[in-house]
Structure formats: C-alpha cells, structure tokens
Amino acid sequence: MSAEEAVVSEATPDGVVRGLPATRVARVADLPPGEGRAFAVAGEQVAVFRLRTGALHAVSAVCPHRGGPIADGQTDARVVMCPLHGNTFELATGACLTGQRPLSVFPVAEEDGWVVVGG
C-alpha cells in the first residue's frame, strides 16, 4: 500500500470528509450535466454529481438505509434522492431530509478539465 492509499478519511463536524488524496476520477466532459457517477477513491465509494449549473458535488455513493446506488438518484440544485426508497439528502451537507443517517461529503473540484475528488 502506498502512502497515498494509507490516508485515513475522517469526517469533520460539518460532515465533510477530509484526508482523501486528491484523485482525478473523470474528465468533466464525460460527466453529463444533471447526472451522477460512482467512483472508488482511496477505498471510499463516492458519487459525483455535475448539476445542470455546472456545480460539482461528491457524497457517499451508498445510501445508509439499504445500500441504494446514490449516483443513480434524481437531483435538483440542492438534493439527491435515493432511487430505491426515496430518501433525500442535501448535496452540500449530506444531511438526510427523510430521517436516515447522513451521507459523507467529499471535497470536489474541477482542475484542468478533470473532476478531482479529495485533497
């Protein structure tokens, strides 16, 4: 295991997970506006969404309720809805609006045409 892979993820009080190494996961052009995709980053399953506004969000890819694929969920400018049972999570904070445990939120940015998670 490399030193980069050995980084431990830890959630801060605001729900953002720090400690993931900055990892290029996709070209921005390959992530269509209004859609999400799941990626493995340093042992974490991360759902990355590119909203229709171009904003990027990254959250846990697995719903804490029953393991639903969050990246397949419907989004709007503020939330993602799990496709299995309709649990709704804020993209910015990971907070669940329907009573489940929150999702982790990961740093995400666009750098030189790439979507970069972590850092």
Side-chain angles (χ1 to χ4, degrees):
M1 179 182 301
S2 73
E4 190 170 290
E5 294 172 325
V7 173
V8 176
S9 300
E10 184 175 317
T12 62
D14 63 359
V16 175
V17 175
R18 307 269 186 239
L20 288 179
T23 304
R24 288 179 173 182
V25 295
R27 288 222 168 259
V28 173
D30 293 335
L31 187 60
E35 293 189 20
R37 298 284 188 273
F39 302 97
V41 179
E44 298 277 353
Q45 290 296 311
V46 178
V48 176
F49 295 92
R50 181 175 174 211
L51 302 183
R52 294 189 191 286
T53 63
L56 295 169
H57 291 278
V59 297
S60 305
V62 180
C63 181
H65 174 235
R66 295 255 175 122
I70 294 295
D72 294 341
Q74 295 292 315
T75 62
D76 66 14
R78 196 176 125 254
V79 300
V80 60
M81 183 183 298
C82 178
L84 294 186
H85 299 104
N87 288 303
T88 304
F89 301 89
E90 290 183 349
L91 289 165
T93 67
C96 185
L97 304 177
T98 51
Q100 297 299 316
R101 290 187 324 272
L103 298 174
S104 295
V105 177
F106 302 94
V108 62
E110 180 180 342
E111 295 178 6
D112 299 322
W114 287 90
V115 176
V116 178
V117 174

